[in-house]
Amino acid sequence: MGGHGAWHIGVTRPDQFAAIGPSSGWISYWSYGGGMPSMETPSDIEALLLRGYSASDTLKLLTNITGDGVYILHGGADQTVPIAQARFMRTRLAAFHPNFAYFEQPAADHWWGNECCDWPRMMEFFREQTAPSNADQTFVDFTTANPAVSNSCNWISIEAQQEQLEPSHVAIRQNTETRTFVGNTANVARLAID
């Protein structure tokens, strides 16, 4: 699950990378298993258990990688991870992401040699990417489903949620001249700024 791992670590820890390159990756842990578990009218306990899955839902965290470069690579005849997974992510990124590339290797299966991990165009894309330092990062837009899994991005930490295991979101801008912060939070009980 290396391709899915690239997606998921990228959205979970977006400030750790300048770019990610999922190769033949499942969208989410649950798309690998056949879809997210759901119930039409869950009881309170069932709803809590379903919220427990949210930390594995890559799509809920996808906007975290807006500032990172993304190179999607997939074999066009992949029998292990359907090409529809990559095409779906391409469509989702096209709606908001300013810096991503997409490549399908025609007639290639899941493993088509070392190039499917070290694709020269992807390596070239990576060389072109840079990540700003925390001092240069004036805006943080970050979502987490579980602060125990991932609670910080750049200089923001979500230390406690109002409702456990529901997505928490912060969008905060700093003005270094006036030493002020302005932004919004959702489902955040305690926030720390470093």
Side-chain angles (χ1 to χ4, degrees), residues 117-139:
C117 292
D118 299 323
W119 185 243
R121 288 184 230 159
M122 183 167 63
M123 296 301 119
E124 191 176 303
F125 179 83
F126 287 166
R127 280 190 291 277
E128 296 169 358
Q129 308 306 309
T130 58
S133 69
N134 275 350
D136 294 331
Q137 190 73 34
T138 60
F139 180 68

Side-chain angles (χ1 to χ4, degrees), residues 45-191:
I45 295 298
E46 290 167 334
L48 176 66
L49 292 172
L50 288 173
R51 285 198 319 263
Y53 296 129
S54 63
S56 298
D57 189 351
T58 304
L59 291 176
K60 284 186 181 178
L61 308 176
L62 194 59
T63 58
N64 284 349
I65 58 174
T66 301
D68 299 342
V70 179
Y71 196 106
I72 303 170
L73 182 64
H74 212 103
D78 192 329
Q79 299 296 306
T80 305
V81 179
I83 189 65
Q85 298 281 305
R87 291 174 180 166
F88 178 84
M89 292 303 270
R90 176 185 61 189
T91 301
R92 290 298 291 265
L93 288 176
F96 72 91
H97 203 286
N99 183 22
F100 79 94
Y102 179 89
F103 182 77
E104 285 181 27
Q105 179 70 348
D109 199 353
H110 189 68
W111 177 257
W112 36 285
N114 290 339
E115 282 191 325
C116 71
C117 292
D118 299 323
W119 185 243
R121 288 184 230 159
M122 183 167 63
M123 296 301 119
E124 191 176 303
F125 179 83
F126 287 166
R127 280 190 291 277
E128 296 169 358
Q129 308 306 309
T130 58
S133 69
N134 275 350
D136 294 331
Q137 190 73 34
T138 60
F139 180 68
V140 174
D141 188 346
F142 177 66
T143 302
T144 186
N146 185 344
V149 174
S150 171
N151 75 329
S152 64
C153 182
N154 300 107
W155 36 264
I156 291 291
S157 294
I158 298 172
E159 295 187 343
Q161 296 178 302
Q162 291 170 324
E163 188 165 352
Q164 300 300 309
L165 304 177
E166 286 291 339
S168 294
H169 179 252
V170 296
I172 297 180
R173 184 172 306 283
Q174 70 168 312
N175 183 325
T176 55
E177 292 176 13
T178 61
R179 298 185 66 179
T180 58
F181 298 88
V182 177
N184 298 301
T185 65
N187 194 32
V188 175
R190 190 173 65 243
L191 179 72

